[in-house]
Amino acid sequence: MDDLEKAILIMFDESGTINEGLKEQAKNYCDEIKGKPSICSLCIEKLCFSNLVQVQFWCLQTIHEVIRARYSLMSPDEKYFIRKSVFAIACFEGVDDNNVVRVLEGPAFIKNKLAQVLVTLIYFEYPLICSSVFVDFLPHLSKGAIVIDMFCRILNALDDELISLDYPRTPEEYSVAARVKDAMRQQCVAQIVRAWYDIVSMYKNSDQELCTSVLDSTRRYISWIDIGLVANDAFIPLLFDLILVDGLSEQLRGAAVRCLLAVVSKRMESQSKLSLLQSLQISRVFGLVTEDGDSELVSDVAELLTGYAVELLECFKRINSEDAKGASMELLNEVLPSVFYVMKNCEVDSTFNIVQFLSGYVATMKMLSPLREKQIFHVGQILEVICVLIRYDPVYRNNLDIFDKIGKEEEDRMVEYRKDLFVLLRNVGRVAPDVTHLFIRNSLASAVASSSESNVEEMEAALSLLYALGESISDEAIRTGSGLLSELVPMLLSTRFPCHSNRLVALVYLETVTRYIKFVQDNTQYIPMVLAAFLDERGIHHPNINVSRRASYLFMRVVKLLKVKLVPFIETILQSLQDIVARFTRMDYTSKVLSGSEDGSHIFEAIGILIGMEEVPLEKQSDYLSSLLRPLCQQVEQLLINAKVLTPEATDAKVVTLQQIIMAINALSKGFSERLATASRPAIGLMFKQTLDVLLQVLVVFPKIEPLRSKVTSFIHRMVDTLGSSVFPYLPNALAQLLADSEPKEMVGFLVLLNQLICKFNTSVHNILEELFPAISGRIFNSIPRDALPSGPGTVTEEIRELQELQRTFYTFLHVIATHDLSSVFLSPRSRAYLDPMMQLLLNTSCNHKDIIVRKACVQIFIRLIKDWCARPYGEEKVPGFQSFVIEAFATNCCLYSVLDRSFELHDANTLVLFGEIVLAQKVMYEKFGDDFLVYFVSKGFPAAHCPQDLTEQYRQKLQGTDIKALKSFYQSLIENLRLQHNGSLVFR
């Protein structure tokens, strides 16, 4: 053993006994040898005389690398020597008389590497230099299996490295592949195919593994060789013999099936393809798919049949001749039962898109209306396929029921997987509605009757089909119960499923009942069944908390829809919900059991809608409401006693419970209108006022706990809507309490509440607002920096986001004040101190803010203030200094300089709306200030913008005219002209 061999062995050693330093030395030594000019000769010599596979692999790898990197630099003699030697080794011949070692007797990875080297030579030399490499190889196949195997490896490597379109290729590789294929077609493909046929015929009983390799190579080449070489009276019968003979190995039979699939999938003109498909008589293999469903052969046959069906459908779509269409449909009808069997029972390769094929078939059926008997049968088969494919695997049953991580992942996966299948179901439903309805009815009946282990998955799938069907049915069709719906919906409502305790079944059942609830609107005899489904252990009282939560929400939706029709059942409903409602008056319940999305509010909202209707007699309504509000308010009062001396843990528990109760009361109040609570039944309003009194105490006892402040604020919003102006006496204290110590995040909610009050009551809130505005302004101007808030990448923290939100809400607040005749609030003695900073903020924002909507609001505020505070020309100045500020600062900076800036995008829809407000502002300023505005604007602003005198004069005329549209149009063209003249170099701030 020489030094090179030792170095190679050390480099490839995986025993762990050799240190990394020595390995690195060995690698460096080998790399140094690689750089020698005679390296290929050295490697070929080693291949001939070394039995060490590590040495053989290194030598072949090195030859491969050298050819790829240095081929163009090699001499003709060196190329000839490498070509002759590698070819001789591949053909199982000696390189010279002293050859001892035969590489073809080595392991598979050595032979694969040898094939790769030969393919690299073909890449550079075939057919220009070495034109007969394939023809020269063929006589050597007579040496037997060892050379035939090597030939298959070479063909496979050629496909992998160069020809196959399954891998990305460079333009150069595409060009070389075309060159090689053209030469092979012209020179040797026919001989190679003949060799394949002869080998398989000769060895099919003696060496089935070899035949399998040959057919796998054949399959790869069928896509680009002349199809007649394989699709003929010799080769096709051979393939069918292999497939249909029981004694042969499954691997060989599968390889023959894959060759047939390659023939079927061959790209060609549609009429020729149909003739080919007719000649194959694929029906001979239909029976094979019913064999052992888990075998590889069945999987291969399944892919063959689905591929065959896809091609027939394509022929039907593309061929125009009626006879040819009929022939393709006849063949398709023949294969479809087997295809449907495959889809329901076999693993089909993921490259075959079942939904795409079935959707294409359903689309063709639309053209065949009315459907023939065969098509109606196939519709039923498609529905069965859908039903099977949407079923969950029973292996996940427990995970889905307890809804652990695995269950959640499986449900998410299935939701995504089902989307296309449900689209297909809707399409089938449109093509054959009666068949679809009947199938779903029978599926439901079958699932109910079944007592098998798969009942849960079967039941869930049947219900999911009925649910999905509802998406393609109009509300009117549901209401009238068209088709079989008048039978399906009562069947759904009256059936008790044996697996109703399962989370998935219970959920899809409730969702399906909700989807078809419009049927019950016109068929009120089913209301008791609906109520039972939601109120018993199938719904709100289901043992699974996830089902119970969802049932509460869905029940609320059902109540909203059926509303008046539920009045006779209110007693029954309240009685059924008594235990649920009672939980909210138990101290230990909400904090321990309920969390997240379920807070009881859906149940209370449903009850509120029921008992809040005017159709409920006053006495009963008062009793119902009192029996709900009284215990909840008592619970709040009890929780507030001694709250300040509690431990933090006890305080947290109380806070959570209080939140739940406030949310429940809030939800309950949604069912009561302002007219009912204030005009027709003031006693109801009184109960809510008393409740508001109690809940406002929460702000006193827990003044700084944000979640509670937020919930109480939300309740005040509700009471504004429910009690109308009678809420006024409660507002001063409530608002003062909410304003105290509020953080920026809470301040946003507070301003939103004030906006609601202003929009609802207008000038009636003047005194309240006058009292609060100075404190609000002080708080906000202390929170928001005078400079712009940071906005670059990485600078926007949670705190900055909160300030941005506060700033936006403050602008809305100012806008609401100004546009509801309340601008005098800004001028009260205590608010005057904030007038200047407010004006500067509005000016800066109207000129520079990135949000165009915010800028527009600020311009609108200025327009409104000008109208409110400025009399017609030469009138008394209501706000000293305001007129000059508007003319000198707002007019020039916002109305001229800001729109000259190229960032003001005149082609954007929102910006154009802002531009319209800016033009309107100029018109209003002219109406109010006359020449004071006009002279300053055109004498100071226009010259600074280098506006020509003629355009200035035109602007003056347009402004003095009455056509605002003409003014806007002219002003836009003026701005665009000024931008063009100065190329946007003037930016005024």
Side-chain angles (χ1 to χ4, degrees), residues 4 7-8 11 25-34 58:
L4 177 59
I8 292 169
M11 191 168 62
Q25 270 183 283
K27 183 182 179 301
N28 292 339
Y29 178 75
C30 291
D31 288 346
E32 191 181 328
I33 297 285
K34 264 187 197 177
W58 185 85

Side-chain angles (χ1 to χ4, degrees), residues 575-768:
Q575 210 166 346
S576 298
L577 294 174
Q578 210 167 0
D579 58 329
I580 305 288
V581 169
R583 290 173 184 174
F584 284 83
T585 60
R586 289 214 310 271
M587 191 78 95
D588 61 341
Y589 177 74
T590 49
S591 56
K592 290 181 183 173
V593 180
L594 285 181
S595 61
S597 62
E598 174 54 16
D599 46 40
S601 59
H602 293 135
I603 288 294
F604 279 91
E605 186 171 349
I607 293 172
I609 294 164
L610 281 170
I611 67 174
M613 289 184 278
E614 300 225 5
E615 287 77 7
V616 179
L618 171 60
E619 195 177 324
K620 278 198 171 289
Q621 193 173 52
S622 298
D623 288 347
Y624 292 148
L625 185 58
S626 175
S627 67
L628 288 158
L629 288 179
R630 190 183 299 112
L632 290 170
C633 288
Q634 285 170 352
Q635 176 74 349
V636 172
E637 288 168 337
Q638 200 177 340
L639 286 163
L640 295 178
I641 295 169
N642 299 326
K644 294 187 176 179
V645 296
L646 292 172
T647 63
E649 292 78 15
T651 299
D652 289 346
K654 283 197 172 190
V655 165
V656 172
T657 308
L658 281 168
Q659 278 180 252
Q660 304 288 115
I661 293 171
I662 299 168
M663 287 164 82
I665 296 172
N666 197 356
L668 184 69
S669 68
K670 289 180 183 178
F672 294 83
S673 68
E674 182 181 342
R675 197 178 74 80
L676 182 138
T678 58
S680 61
R681 297 180 181 179
I684 298 296
L686 182 60
M687 283 191 224
F688 280 116
K689 288 176 193 173
Q690 290 164 346
T691 305
L692 180 58
D693 253 337
V694 172
L695 295 190
L696 289 177
Q697 290 305 304
V698 173
L699 295 177
V700 178
V701 177
F702 294 107
K704 294 188 178 180
I705 295 180
E706 194 276 331
L708 284 179
R709 293 164 65 92
S710 169
K711 297 293 180 290
V712 174
T713 303
S714 182
F715 185 63
I716 297 170
H717 275 292
R718 283 284 338 127
M719 290 302 98
V720 170
D721 282 340
T722 307
L723 299 175
S725 58
S726 64
V727 81
F728 264 68
Y730 299 88
L731 291 177
N733 285 341
L735 294 171
Q737 199 70 47
L738 285 171
L739 184 57
D741 302 316
S742 56
E743 299 295 324
K745 191 176 174 184
E746 297 166 304
M747 197 71 186
V748 170
F750 181 72
L751 292 178
V752 170
L753 174 59
L754 287 178
N755 287 344
Q756 181 200 18
L757 290 168
I758 296 166
C759 292
K760 188 168 178 69
F761 301 120
N762 295 305
T763 53
S764 303
V765 295
H766 182 278
N767 293 342
I768 293 173

Side-chain angles (χ1 to χ4, degrees), residues 56 62 169 243 255 482 620 758 877:
Q56 291 176 356
T62 299
R169 308 286 185 200
I243 294 166
S482 69
K620 278 198 171 289
I758 296 166
E877 197 166 26

Side-chain angles (χ1 to χ4, degrees), residues 946-958:
H946 307 289
C947 181
Q949 190 57 42
D950 61 323
L951 291 179
T952 301
E953 192 51 44
Q954 285 181 57
Y955 170 78
R956 191 190 300 271
Q957 289 168 11
K958 296 287 182 189

Side-chain angles (χ1 to χ4, degrees), residues 185-308:
R185 285 191 193 103
Q186 206 169 13
Q187 185 192 47
C188 59
V189 161
Q191 292 161 269
I192 291 172
V193 176
R194 180 72 209 188
W196 285 334
Y197 175 83
D198 290 341
I199 292 164
V200 174
S201 300
M202 185 187 303
Y203 286 93
K204 63 183 178 182
N205 295 314
S206 58
D207 193 340
Q208 293 181 23
E209 192 177 336
L210 181 70
C211 293
T212 302
S213 298
V214 170
L215 290 179
D216 280 339
S217 294
T218 308
R219 171 188 57 79
R220 290 165 174 257
Y221 283 72
I222 287 172
S223 66
W224 60 269
I225 65 175
D226 177 4
I227 194 63
L229 295 172
V230 178
N232 53 45
D233 294 340
F235 218 122
I236 294 297
L238 173 63
L239 291 176
F240 275 106
D241 283 348
L242 296 172
I243 294 166
L244 297 170
V245 173
D246 280 342
L248 299 177
S249 73
E250 203 172 79
Q251 287 72 28
L252 177 55
R253 295 172 75 191
V257 172
R258 290 192 291 276
C259 280
L260 262 186
L261 176 58
V263 171
V264 163
S265 307
K266 173 88 171 171
R267 290 175 66 183
M268 54 203 297
E269 185 270 325
S270 298
Q271 186 61 59
S272 304
K273 170 60 77 73
L274 179 60
S275 302
L276 171 65
L277 296 176
Q278 285 173 306
S279 71
L280 291 177
Q281 297 173 40
I282 292 285
S283 58
R284 287 177 277 177
V285 303
F286 287 177
L288 294 178
V289 289
T290 57
E291 292 182 7
D292 176 16
D294 291 333
S295 76
E296 282 185 32
L297 177 64
V298 171
S299 182
D300 286 326
V301 175
E303 287 184 45
L304 170 61
L305 297 184
T306 49
Y308 176 70

